[in-house]
Amino acid sequence: MERLSLDTNTPIKFSILALIALIIGVFSLTATASKRSDVAWQALNNGAMLIDVRTAQEFKSGYLDEAINMPLSSLNKLANPLDRNTSIVVYCRSGSRASHAKRQLYDMGFVNVINGGGLEEMQASKP
């Protein structure tokens, strides 16, 4: 039986491999993204506080119901009075600033913080 091999020096074969890798990557990202927003909605249904860490301008352009705007740049000051045991879900535009906010809140002593991802992601997975 002959062993199959791919010659990645052929431009078409390389392009096909790159396309396959891209498709797999997109599906992996989508699965992870929807999973984190699903976990966030479960926490919100159980009474977690919802914090939007985008700028005030971004917040004015649209936000999730019940969200409180605490821009990442002011999070230390705005979140400081909150009970450290409060369950919190953070979100932003894409999930990146929410990731930073989650780390910042943990560093402040909060014990239950969930990165819900981005606004559109949260909206798309809303139960």
Side-chain angles (χ1 to χ4, degrees):
M1 190 164 169
E2 188 176 315
R3 186 172 180 195
L4 294 176
S5 65
L6 283 175
D7 178 9
T8 56
N9 293 327
T10 305
I12 291 177
K13 289 180 182 178
F14 181 77
S15 297
I16 291 171
L17 286 175
L19 181 61
I20 290 170
L22 178 65
I23 290 170
I24 291 170
V26 167
F27 282 116
S28 297
L29 180 62
T30 303
T32 301
S34 64
K35 184 184 284 187
R36 71 181 174 186
S37 60
D38 289 343
V39 169
W41 282 113
Q42 289 174 354
L44 291 168
N45 288 334
N46 291 326
M49 173 184 276
L50 181 59
I51 298 177
D52 183 324
V53 297
R54 297 175 302 150
T55 65
Q57 186 70 21
E58 288 174 298
F59 186 77
K60 288 177 188 173
S61 70
Y63 54 89
L64 295 173
D65 292 339
E66 309 297 322
I68 299 168
N69 185 221
M70 293 187 187
L72 183 60
S73 61
S74 306
L75 190 60
N76 278 339
K77 184 174 84 174
L78 295 172
N80 199 39
L82 299 176
D83 177 2
R84 299 306 192 251
N85 293 312
T86 300
S87 293
I88 297 174
V89 171
V90 291
Y91 75 94
C92 60
R93 185 186 58 77
S94 66
S96 179
R97 283 177 282 179
S99 178
H100 292 291
K102 179 179 176 178
R103 171 61 26 213
Q104 198 170 341
L105 290 167
Y106 274 134
D107 290 347
M108 292 173 65
F110 288 87
V111 294
N112 191 12
V113 183
I114 296 167
N115 177 354
L119 173 61
E120 290 180 6
E121 179 182 341
M122 292 282 295
Q123 289 170 327
S125 69
K126 185 174 182 178

